[in-house]
Amino acid sequence: MESAHYFSASPAGPFTRKQLTVELAGETRKLQTSSAIFSPDGIDKGTAVLLADVPAPAPQGNLLDIGCGWGPIALTMALRAPHAKVYAVDVNERCITLTNENAELLGLGNLAASAPEAVDPDLRFDTIWSNPPIRIGKDELHSLLMLWLPRLAPGGSAWLVVQKNLGSDSLQRWLAGALDGSFTVTRESTSKSFRILRVRKASR
């Protein structure tokens, strides 16, 4: 496993692109991937559960994918919500490049991938989808989620897929206590050992 590499900003080894054929938003797509990123050979099980189980993203406004990898979640959001602006963030420069290149391959002008610090801190997001990087460690994960989840727009929702044996239930409890009273945290579904957690920001 190359987990040590895909949490790095600049992974070791050559950046050699290879073709990847996957189904996104109901159609077969030809995209690009590379080594030293998360799930380089296809859509991982958690992301597949998320994409199959969550409702459609907000049709307009700002959408966010936290930890985009080569882009399956962000690309799906952009395909399903062509009038929204999709932001994809990752610490891995290779992932940022691949997601932007894959968006270009699909003709998606409504998606931009970048490092987290490049996103305007005043932006608020109507929908967040994420398969968060649980293996970075609890403290770093909590910091990451608290950087983005409080930036939900009023009435917005974040949908997170987390494997049960990697602490989905304890994460749900932690989020409920860490976020202020304008947020609710619920378990929406369980599928193939994964839970879908929903974080909702009150409308007012």
Side-chain angles (χ1 to χ4, degrees):
M1 179 174 288
E2 297 177 313
S3 60
H5 297 300
Y6 64 73
F7 297 142
S8 302
S10 300
F15 186 3
T16 304
R17 293 163 179 79
K18 60 182 180 179
Q19 191 174 84
L20 176 68
T21 302
V22 294
E23 184 172 300
L24 292 177
E27 292 187 21
T28 300
R29 320 279 180 175
K30 292 189 181 300
L31 304 171
Q32 294 187 127
T33 184
S34 174
S35 61
I37 65 171
F38 176 66
S39 192
D41 299 321
I43 298 174
D44 66 284
K45 292 178 182 178
T47 295
V49 168
L50 180 80
L51 295 177
D53 287 4
V54 297
Q60 296 179 317
N62 299 317
L63 315 181
L64 175 67
D65 172 15
I66 306 167
C68 60
W70 55 261
I73 291 174
L75 294 166
T76 299
M77 295 177 104
L79 288 163
R80 295 182 66 183
H83 301 295
K85 173 68 174 177
V86 180
Y87 295 82
V89 294
D90 206 292
V91 298
N92 186 322
E93 295 167 354
R94 200 169 289 191
C95 293
I96 295 167
T97 298
L98 287 168
T99 298
N100 283 323
E101 289 179 350
N102 285 331
E104 189 173 346
L105 284 172
L106 297 181
L108 295 170
N110 62 330
L111 192 166
S114 70
E117 59 271 19
V119 178
D120 182 349
D122 292 329
L123 277 178
R124 294 298 176 261
F125 299 98
D126 300 279
T127 302
I128 297 173
W129 287 357
S130 181
N131 181 358
I134 300 296
R135 296 181 189 276
I136 60 175
K138 185 179 292 186
D139 291 344
E140 287 192 60
L141 176 68
H142 289 176
S143 295
L144 177 70
L145 294 176
M146 291 306 290
L147 173 66
W148 297 108
L149 295 179
R151 293 161 69 174
L152 277 169
S157 287
W159 303 82
L160 312 175
V161 62
V162 183
Q163 200 162 353
K164 283 190 290 186
N165 66 3
L166 292 180
S168 60
D169 294 346
S170 61
L171 180 63
Q172 179 184 347
R173 290 191 296 271
W174 180 83
L175 286 169
L179 292 163
D180 69 39
S182 66
F183 294 88
T184 56
V185 183
T186 54
R187 182 197 308 161
E188 291 294 307
S189 63
T190 301
S191 176
K192 298 177 182 175
S193 81
F194 291 89
R195 299 216 198 278
I196 301 285
L197 305 181
R198 182 183 186 185
V199 179
R200 184 166 21 183
K201 171 78 170 176
S203 298
R204 298 185 177 278

